[in-house]
Amino acid sequence: MAQASVKDVARLAGVSVATVSRVLNDNATVSESNRARVLAAVERLGYRRNAVARSLRTDATGTIGLVIGDILNPFFTELARAVEDEARIAGYAVVIGNADERPDRQDDYVRTLLERRVDGLLLCPTAELTPLVRDTVESGTPVVFLDRTLHGLDVPTVRADGADAIDELVGHLLGLGRERLAFVSGPAILSTGRERTDAFACALARRGLPVRPEYLEEGDFQAASGRAALARLLDLPEPPDAVVAGDNLMALGALDEIHARGLSIPGDVALASYDDVPWFLHLDPPLTAIAQPVQELGRRAVRALAERVAGREVETVTLRARLVVRGSCGEPREAPRSGKPAGPRSGRHDEGSVPA
Amino acid sequence: MAQASVKDVARLAGVSVATVSRVLNDNATVSESNRARVLAAVERLGYRRNAVARSLRTDATGTIGLVIGDILNPFFTELARAVEDEARIAGYAVVIGNADERPDRQDDYVRTLLERRVDGLLLCPTAELTPLVRDTVESGTPVVFLDRTLHGLDVPTVRADGADAIDELVGHLLGLGRERLAFVSGPAILSTGRERTDAFACALARRGLPVRPEYLEEGDFQAASGRAALARLLDLPEPPDAVVAGDNLMALGALDEIHARGLSIPGDVALASYDDVPWFLHLDPPLTAIAQPVQELGRRAVRALAERVAGREVETVTLRARLVVRGSCGEPREAPRSGKPAGPRSGRHDEGSVPA
DNA sequence: GCCGGTGATGTAATCGTTTACATCGCTCGT
DNA sequence: ACGAGCGATGTAAACGATTACATCACCGGC
């Protein structure tokens, strides 16, 4: 079932391939009658333009590569969706790669994406700056970093800054009477890991409070590490009365450990998370979280990349994350949607209820 | 910053382009000395093979297209990840498209994927069979359906059958004393929607129980519809005492409505979901769910597609979903490991292939 | 009536590979 | 010593599009 080519169309329409190409790209004047015949021939043959050949000639594939850190992390998933959406609007197809937080995998993807001549690359760089990434950006390939950045490299980056939100969160916790705040951070080698930790420490320092080192746990942005961190924190002689997780997966792990110990949120310990994911709202109590403007992040990244592809310079974009207060730190201030007032409530903390 | 081409490499190595190509594809005999020089030249120039030109010549892109139903649905996300993983192993890159459950969007993607000459297509077809999809499969393009199927078209499909699991779930609920079981189904036009509903009705019928039409709500696999369905169910003069949601998003909506009314799970109403997602485990109580072998689904789909690309015929693959009992229907049985062989519960997601 | 201009079209080169085929030395068997 | 056979290499033709350039017909102004 050989696909028809321009040649076949040309023959059937009784014109030259040049004319066919012209009507296909309508970038030159073609007589109305010929245009009609070509279109008819295209229709008849079910002709579909071969983007591969076209790309070879035009040196543009209409494709961008997206390499994300961990496809199982809802944050990246949502990001991928946003990128996908905006790319579609901009006329790009997206080839996606999951680095799984491993530099070698990241490089594998970067390599095949370059071989495939993507027009540009959206990269959530892994911890280390690999030689390949350095070469790539230095060779002039359009690259934009997303979510994370890498120092020492002049690459436009689209990211969200959560320092203010973290500060606000710390204020919120202290305002609710919490006194022993702990933070479960991501890996310090990742920009997103370090920044959040710093912001937390800063927020405490700014208020003249000490940063107790035993309240600073380092995880790896995965659920298991969050759980382990919580276990250590709760085993402390003087456990924290509030915990902030550095990302949504570690919050999940934290939640686990807290449940496993039969502790209540926020009664025994307050919990909040960096990253907001849809189902945080459906937890009991709903989780207070710092929401990144994920959609906007994706959009801006694609737009920035498109600019780079067009040869224009772009600035780094820094958006702001914002605090979303729910019930998991105590004293929720959002009034619930009205429904039937609560029926019988069991005395235990684990019954489904929206805070009154 | 023009990329080096085979020609440049050939010149630098003092050989012909044919020789360069031969060492690059090591499919013919090349003298050791020449091979070394070519490799050296490749290194020196930082030569990267142009996959576009290569594809044009070889008529293979090493790329597959994946069009999923809704990228925000964790089920599809996980599926995409599995596909991505397996594709990587098989040496394929994945171009992903999010149909957002809209036939026109699906077709948009199919079209550009075909233009880009993907070697094959993995498709979670939307409700309707569009002419484009029909033409595509009839024209001989390798296509494999994933998760869902479309009647009247001879396309191999990789999917999971949940009928047994649903039957088991119904048994479980009845065993716990629930008497009024409701089901929130997906759209009947989707194979996955209809099948689950049928299985539910069947499970009741098989036990001689009536299927009360007011306990059969139809949603659209989105959270909002789940919530609305629950609202209607709970407003019934005689509301159900157990609800099964047809997918994870509708379960989310259901959860919402139940919480909003201050009802307790499983005290006031039992809740279970088709689809298992990681955080169900972290709800309080953890949600009983039917887990699809998502990883395996993705793997098998890619393998099937690879076979089709290689020109071989493949059979439809039907895996089995399995029930995961947690606490949301009452009487949580922790530690399901040993003891009662009540149901032959395979330990892993990855098991239970059933030929069509 | 001639000539330059203009608009429509065709011819052919080109993008960077792969690969069929031709070529060229060698070696080996007789 | 000679041709067959073989291994290594090169030449050039594809693949299917786009596009610079040439061509051609025709028109109107002088």
Side-chain angles (χ1 to χ4, degrees):
Chain A
M1 186 82 18
Q3 292 265 9
S5 79
V6 268
K7 230 177 261 181
D8 304 307
V9 174
R11 191 172 326 121
L12 182 59
V15 298
S16 75
V17 293
T19 300
V20 173
S21 178
R22 282 192 265 257
V23 354
L24 257 30
N25 301 296
D26 59 291
N27 52 4
T29 75
V30 174
S31 74
E32 213 32 68
S33 69
N34 271 349
R35 168 181 313 274
R37 298 157 76 134
V38 168
L39 260 19
V42 163
E43 182 66 23
R44 273 273 310 275
L45 294 173
Y47 169 77
R48 227 185 294 286
R49 166 206 252 140
N50 185 329
V52 173
R54 171 171 228 250
S55 298
L56 178 59
R57 186 57 229 258
T58 60
D59 199 37
T61 55
T63 292
I64 63 176
L66 169 65
V67 180
I68 61 181
D70 172 14
I71 207 179
L72 281 191
N73 186 326
F75 167 74
F76 285 118
T77 294
E78 212 181 322
L79 193 57
R81 185 236 156 92
V83 165
E84 155 65 24
D85 275 359
E86 185 72 14
R88 184 175 172 284
I89 292 169
Y92 286 111
V94 177
V95 185
I96 200 170
N98 169 29
D100 213 10
E101 301 296 5
R102 285 158 43 183
D104 58 321
R105 275 232 184 167
Q106 166 195 277
D107 279 8
D108 273 1
Y109 274 115
V110 171
R111 230 183 315 265
T112 78
L113 291 171
L114 291 178
E115 271 200 0
R116 293 186 153 85
R117 295 300 193 269
V118 291
D119 293 340
L121 207 53
L122 245 31
L123 183 60
C124 307
T126 52
E128 317 158 26
L129 169 57
T130 65
L132 176 62
V133 170
R134 153 158 280 140
D135 288 355
T136 303
V137 319
E138 281 175 355
S139 79
T141 309
V143 176
V144 168
F145 285 161
L146 185 47
D147 175 48
R148 305 165 178 178
T149 191
L150 234 39
H151 55 284
L153 216 49
D154 183 30
V155 177
T157 301
V158 176
R159 52 181 284 275
D161 179 11
D164 290 351
I166 287 177
D167 187 83
E168 199 183 336
L169 174 57
V170 166
H172 171 67
L173 288 166
L174 295 173
L176 291 172
R178 305 284 164 167
E179 298 178 328
R180 300 182 306 280
L181 314 191
F183 190 81
V184 183
S185 82
I189 23 171
L190 288 181
S191 67
T192 44
R194 170 156 281 299
E195 282 167 11
R196 294 170 198 175
T197 315
D198 289 352
F200 177 77
C202 248
L204 285 181
R206 209 168 68 77
R207 293 176 171 78
L209 296 172
V211 179
R212 298 171 58 165
E214 71 270 30
Y215 285 174
L216 241 44
E217 280 284 347
E218 178 167 334
D220 64 1
F221 277 156
Q222 299 292 320
S225 74
R227 178 159 191 172
L230 255 282
R232 288 189 297 269
L233 287 172
L234 295 175
D235 280 341
L236 250 28
E238 194 178 31
D241 58 5
V243 176
V244 178
D247 88 332
N248 73 85
L249 291 178
M250 297 195 299
L252 199 75
L255 206 60
D256 256 2
E257 184 64 21
I258 294 171
H259 279 169
R261 294 186 180 220
L263 299 177
S264 90
I265 300 174
D268 296 315
V269 59
L271 181 65
S273 171
Y274 200 101
D275 282 345
D276 193 19
V277 293
W279 52 271
F280 276 177
L281 188 56
H282 311 286
L283 288 174
D284 184 22
L287 212 62
T288 289
I290 291 174
Q292 299 194 57
V294 187
Q295 289 292 319
E296 191 65 10
L297 241 29
R299 272 189 231 294
R300 300 290 278 266
V302 172
R303 287 198 209 129
L305 187 59
E307 287 295 295
R308 294 279 302 148
V309 170
R312 290 185 281 272
E313 291 295 318
V314 300
E315 298 289 306
T316 277
V317 174
T318 305
L319 304 175
R320 297 253 305 252
R322 69 176 221 288
L323 177 65
V324 179
V325 173
R326 301 201 184 94
S328 65
C329 301
E331 190 91 358
R333 12 170 162 128
E334 195 106 8
R337 318 156 228 259
S338 58
K340 293 187 170 147
R345 277 280 191 70
S346 97
R348 302 207 301 113
H349 74 274
D350 58 356
E351 240 53 72
S353 66
V354 157
Chain B
M1 186 82 17
Q3 291 265 9
S5 80
V6 269
K7 232 176 259 181
D8 303 307
V9 174
R11 192 174 322 122
L12 182 59
V15 299
S16 75
V17 294
T19 300
V20 173
S21 178
R22 281 192 267 258
V23 355
L24 257 30
N25 301 296
D26 59 286
N27 53 3
T29 74
V30 173
S31 75
E32 214 33 68
S33 70
N34 272 349
R35 167 181 313 275
R37 298 156 78 132
V38 168
L39 260 21
V42 163
E43 183 67 22
R44 272 272 311 274
L45 295 174
Y47 168 76
R48 226 185 295 286
R49 165 207 251 142
N50 185 330
V52 173
R54 173 171 227 251
S55 297
L56 178 59
R57 184 58 229 252
T58 61
D59 200 38
T61 54
T63 292
I64 62 177
L66 169 66
V67 180
I68 60 181
D70 172 13
I71 208 179
L72 282 190
N73 186 326
F75 168 74
F76 285 117
T77 294
E78 212 181 323
L79 194 57
R81 184 236 157 90
V83 165
E84 155 64 26
D85 274 359
E86 185 72 14
R88 185 175 171 282
I89 292 168
Y92 285 110
V94 177
V95 184
I96 201 169
N98 170 30
D100 212 11
E101 300 296 7
R102 285 159 43 183
D104 58 322
R105 274 232 185 166
Q106 167 194 278
D107 279 7
D108 274 0
Y109 274 116
V110 170
R111 230 183 315 265
T112 78
L113 291 171
L114 291 178
E115 272 200 1
R116 293 185 153 85
R117 294 301 195 269
V118 291
D119 294 341
L121 208 52
L122 244 32
L123 184 59
C124 307
T126 51
E128 318 157 23
L129 169 56
T130 66
L132 177 61
V133 170
R134 153 158 279 140
D135 287 356
T136 303
V137 320
E138 280 175 355
S139 80
T141 310
V143 176
V144 168
F145 284 162
L146 186 48
D147 175 49
R148 306 164 176 176
T149 191
L150 232 40
H151 56 284
L153 216 48
D154 183 30
V155 177
T157 302
V158 176
R159 52 180 284 276
D161 180 11
D164 290 352
I166 287 177
D167 187 83
E168 199 183 338
L169 173 57
V170 166
H172 171 66
L173 287 166
L174 296 172
L176 292 172
R178 305 285 163 167
E179 297 178 328
R180 301 183 304 281
L181 313 192
F183 189 82
V184 183
S185 82
I189 21 170
L190 288 182
S191 65
T192 45
R194 169 156 282 297
E195 283 166 11
R196 293 170 198 176
T197 315
D198 289 352
F200 177 77
C202 246
L204 285 181
R206 207 169 68 78
R207 292 174 171 80
L209 297 172
V211 179
R212 298 171 60 165
E214 70 271 31
Y215 285 173
L216 242 43
E217 279 285 346
E218 177 167 334
D220 64 0
F221 276 157
Q222 298 293 319
S225 74
R227 178 157 192 177
L230 256 282
R232 288 190 296 269
L233 288 171
L234 295 175
D235 280 342
L236 250 27
E238 192 178 31
D241 58 6
V243 176
V244 178
D247 88 332
N248 73 84
L249 291 178
M250 296 195 299
L252 200 75
L255 205 60
D256 256 1
E257 185 63 20
I258 294 171
H259 279 169
R261 293 186 181 220
L263 299 177
S264 90
I265 300 174
D268 296 316
V269 60
L271 182 64
S273 172
Y274 200 101
D275 281 346
D276 194 17
V277 293
W279 52 270
F280 277 177
L281 188 56
H282 311 286
L283 288 175
D284 187 20
L287 211 63
T288 290
I290 291 173
Q292 298 194 58
V294 187
Q295 290 292 319
E296 191 64 8
L297 240 28
R299 273 190 230 294
R300 299 290 278 265
V302 172
R303 286 198 209 131
L305 187 59
E307 287 294 296
R308 294 281 300 149
V309 169
R312 291 185 281 273
E313 291 296 318
V314 300
E315 297 290 305
T316 278
V317 174
T318 305
L319 305 175
R320 300 251 305 253
R322 72 177 221 288
L323 177 65
V324 179
V325 174
R326 301 202 184 94
S328 66
C329 301
E331 187 98 355
R333 322 183 198 147
E334 241 7 80
R337 178 58 204 107
S338 57
K340 10 184 169 180
R345 204 158 290 147
S346 46
R348 299 288 315 254
H349 286 57
D350 318 348
E351 265 139 354
S353 170
V354 170

